[in-house]
């Protein structure tokens, strides 16, 4: 599994690992979606571009996941990211598919209220990349 | 984190490094080992570094590791020189608790407990993404954000006395819907009258024990009385307000003349444009939460009357009190004998104003403010009263609940293979729930025993026990 849930008393914390920086952002988006619902049940949808900016990598990771969460909580769309188009330390742009959330088809696992800055990090780890994010639930 | 023991109920983290004041934690030898295992004490010290903090960075005995500020934290900042921090309030702005008393006893509802549980579960939307029966137009939503509970009462969902028995009269001054983003408004548009998920609940219970007959009498509580207790907040609207302003203040943090020990402590000076706008948006979200709890109580009242086939007079349901436990409020306190205007952040802490305070409604003023402290779904909850000592030591604040012991993951692992709902039923508690893992995550053992927490604040004198409530029906998201 590219991410694991780690212990945090009140909330959910996830540690995400990938071989590349692009992979880290891709896996982090996937981790958030799989905390919300079963990604295997998502089908169809419309193409969407997701962008985010940040002061540094950790800030960028938080803002990136905020954007993905925002699609769900504001517009009722689950976004599956298919590829990272461009990535710098302070900006990311990606292509994905936005699938309308259907409570009859899609189970809801967690109410993720927000992506927090608490202990947020996104950095090189050995030969790969690692991020840690605490979600408020 | 080094600390000194002050007395049997308090420890102090001495002022070191960038700390402007010491940290002071209400706890006990029983609770302290849990606390030391976490980073919560570090978070108490981090809060003590923020500008304008007055007296001490405080924490209540239900403290646990939060994000930035600890949950269970109380921090008062000078209005002129101090900061305001969205993280010091929390994502669920004005998450709070409301208790209603009824004229019913267990005998009145015993034959219909199952039906009542089903009907309440159906009437009170809960769980992720649930929507309420109240469909708000944009103009009505703005009225909710400025009028709070009053809007719901004017729509026929409650009575004027409900407003008297709600902290701030159910509407905080200074709310500005214009400071709330379109995203936040969209998240809140169809969530009014919904419970939410996680630790939010609606309980039908009983007054099981009275500790203070005078105060219980003033609050209208008597042994064996059926009660309704509910815990909810500002739903997606509040989460988004917090998120928007944390993001804004994080971007501006590099311009602040001090270093933040944790990004989640992002803040602005209260006197700044960003600080004032956050306060206005937070107050608007707080008002949304009060309207939400007012509507939830109305739904519970209607359901009780329908299922039991009784009149409003037979039900005699009245709001005892409604408290908020995630808020920043402008208050006047005596500091070293001098009155000061402070902005008191309570994140997972409850106001506990003592006898005679002008902000306690007239009916309760002689005994002090009711304080509602819910426990976990399988044990009990408490009604306390505010004290003069809380005014002296904690800016009129006390604990807010049991506080978690286990992470949600650990609780799910611990509960594997168990039928939690059957275990609760064997203890006389009927539970209805929405989420796949709700019961496992919220299992009693995941929380401290709330009586251990309450004993600390009672012994420390920052609030005093009035009554204990036992759950009969629990509805969770």
């Amino acid at each position: 599994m590219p991410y694991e849930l780690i212990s945090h008393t009140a909330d959910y914390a996830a540690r995400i690992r990938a071989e590349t920086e692009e992979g880290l952002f891709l896996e982090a988006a996937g981790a958030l979606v799989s905390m919300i619902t079963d990604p295997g049940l998502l089908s169809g949808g419309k193409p969407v571009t997701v962008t985010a900016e940040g002061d540094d990598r950790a800030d960028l990771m938080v803002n990136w996941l905020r954007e993905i969460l925002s699609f769900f909580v504001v517009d009722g769309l689950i976004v599956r990211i298919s590829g990272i188009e461009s990535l710098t330390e302070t900006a990311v742009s990606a292509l994905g598919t936005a699938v309308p959330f259907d409570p009859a088809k899609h189970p809801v696992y967690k109410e993720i209220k927000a992506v927090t800055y608490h202990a947020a990090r996104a950095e090189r780890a050995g030969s790969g990349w690692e991020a840690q994010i605490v979600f408020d639930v | 984190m080094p600390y000194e023991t002050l007395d049997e109920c308090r420890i102090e983290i001495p002022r070191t490094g960038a700390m402007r004041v010491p940290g002071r934690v209400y706890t006990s030898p029983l609770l302290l080992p849990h606390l030391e295992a976490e980073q919560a004490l570090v978070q108490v010290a981090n809060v003590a570094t923020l500008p304008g903090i007055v007296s001490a960075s405080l924490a209540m005995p239900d403290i646990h590791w939060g994000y930035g500020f600890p949950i269970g934290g109380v921090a008062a900042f000078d209005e002129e020189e101090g900061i305001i921090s969205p993280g010091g309030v929390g994502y669920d702005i004005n998450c709070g608790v409301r208790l209603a008393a009824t004229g019913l006893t267990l005998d009145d509802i015993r034959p219909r407990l199952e039906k009542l549980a089903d009907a309440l579960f159906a009437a009170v939307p809960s769980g992720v993404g649930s929507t309420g029966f109240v469909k708000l137009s944009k103009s009505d939503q703005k009225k909710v954000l400025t009028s709070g509970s009053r809007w719901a009462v004017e729509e026929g969902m409650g009575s004027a006395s409900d407003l008297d028995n709600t902290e701030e009269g159910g509407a905080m001054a200074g709310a500005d819907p214009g400071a709330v983003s379109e995203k936040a408004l969209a998240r809140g548009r169809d969530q009014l009258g919904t419970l939410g998920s996680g630790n939010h609940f609606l309980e039908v219970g009983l007054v099981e024990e009275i500790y203070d007959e005078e105060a219980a009498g003033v609050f209208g509580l008597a042994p064996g009385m059926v009660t309704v207790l509910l815990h909810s907040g500002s739903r997606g609207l509040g989460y988004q307000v917090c998120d928007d302003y944390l993001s804004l203040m994080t971007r501006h943090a590099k311009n602040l003349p001090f270093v933040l020990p944790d990004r989640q402590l992002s803040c602005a000076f209260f006197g700044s444009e960003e600080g004032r706008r956050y306060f206005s948006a937070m107050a608007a979200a707080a008002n949304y939460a009060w309207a939400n709890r007012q509507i939830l109580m109305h739904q519970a009242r209607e359901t009780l009357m329908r299922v039991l086939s009784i009149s409003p007079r037979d039900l005699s349901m009245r709001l005892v009190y409604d408290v908020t436990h995630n808020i920043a409020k402008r208050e006047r306190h005596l500091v070293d004998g001098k009155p000061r205007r402070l902005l008191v952040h309570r994140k997972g802490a409850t106001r506990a104003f003592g006898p005679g305070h002008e902000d306690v409604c007239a009916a309760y003023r002689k005994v002090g403010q009711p304080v509602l402290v819910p426990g976990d779904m399988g044990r009990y909850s408490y009604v306390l009263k505010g004290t003069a000592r809380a005014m002296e030591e904690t800016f009129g604040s006390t604990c807010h609940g049991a506080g978690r012991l286990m992470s949600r993951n650990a609780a799910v692992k611990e509960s594997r293979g168990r039928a939690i709902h059957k275990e609760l039923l064997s203890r006389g508690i009927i539970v209805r729930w929405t989420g796949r893992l709700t019961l496992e995550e919220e299992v009693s053992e995941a929380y401290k025993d709330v009586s251990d927490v309450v004993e600390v604040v009672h012994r420390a004198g920052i609030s005093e026990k009035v009554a204990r409530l036992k759950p009969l029906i629990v509805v969770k998201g």
Side-chain angles (χ1 to χ4, degrees), chain A residues 15-122:
Chain A
R15 190 173 294 137
I16 303 126
R17 294 190 182 90
E19 288 180 7
T20 63
E21 192 180 3
E22 286 80 4
L24 190 68
F25 280 77
L26 203 66
E27 295 295 354
L32 175 56
V33 167
S34 56
M35 277 183 217
I36 297 170
T37 191
D38 181 350
L41 297 175
L42 299 170
S43 59
K46 289 183 178 171
V48 66
T49 301
V50 183
T51 60
E53 293 180 0
D55 287 344
D56 52 42
R57 277 196 192 92
D59 191 40
L60 180 63
M61 177 60 81
V62 169
N63 290 337
W64 161 248
L65 293 175
R66 271 186 173 144
E67 281 303 310
I68 309 271
L69 182 63
S70 185
F71 273 96
F72 177 56
V73 295
V74 178
D75 303 314
L77 297 168
I78 302 278
V79 172
R80 288 194 300 171
I81 299 297
S82 46
I84 304 290
E85 273 206 311
S86 65
L87 177 63
T88 68
E89 208 172 315
T90 57
V92 60
S93 176
L95 293 176
T97 311
V99 182
F101 178 77
D102 179 352
K105 277 200 285 189
H106 306 131
V108 182
Y109 296 156
K110 308 266 171 269
E111 180 176 36
I112 307 283
K113 290 179 191 167
V115 184
T116 81
Y117 286 111
H118 182 68
R121 58 186 179 82

Side-chain angles (χ1 to χ4, degrees), chain B residues 89-138:
Chain B
V89 172
Y91 282 98
D92 195 355
I93 294 166
N94 188 6
C95 185
V97 189
R98 161 174 292 234
L99 174 68
T102 73
L104 305 174
T105 65
L106 179 57
D107 286 343
D108 296 320
I109 62 171
R110 199 193 313 264
R112 301 201 176 200
L113 279 172
E114 289 279 350
K115 268 192 181 165
L116 201 47
D118 291 336
L120 285 167
F121 185 62
V124 176
S126 60
V128 186
S130 52
T131 57
F133 70 95
V134 181
K135 301 297 172 201
L136 287 175
S137 65
K138 284 191 178 181

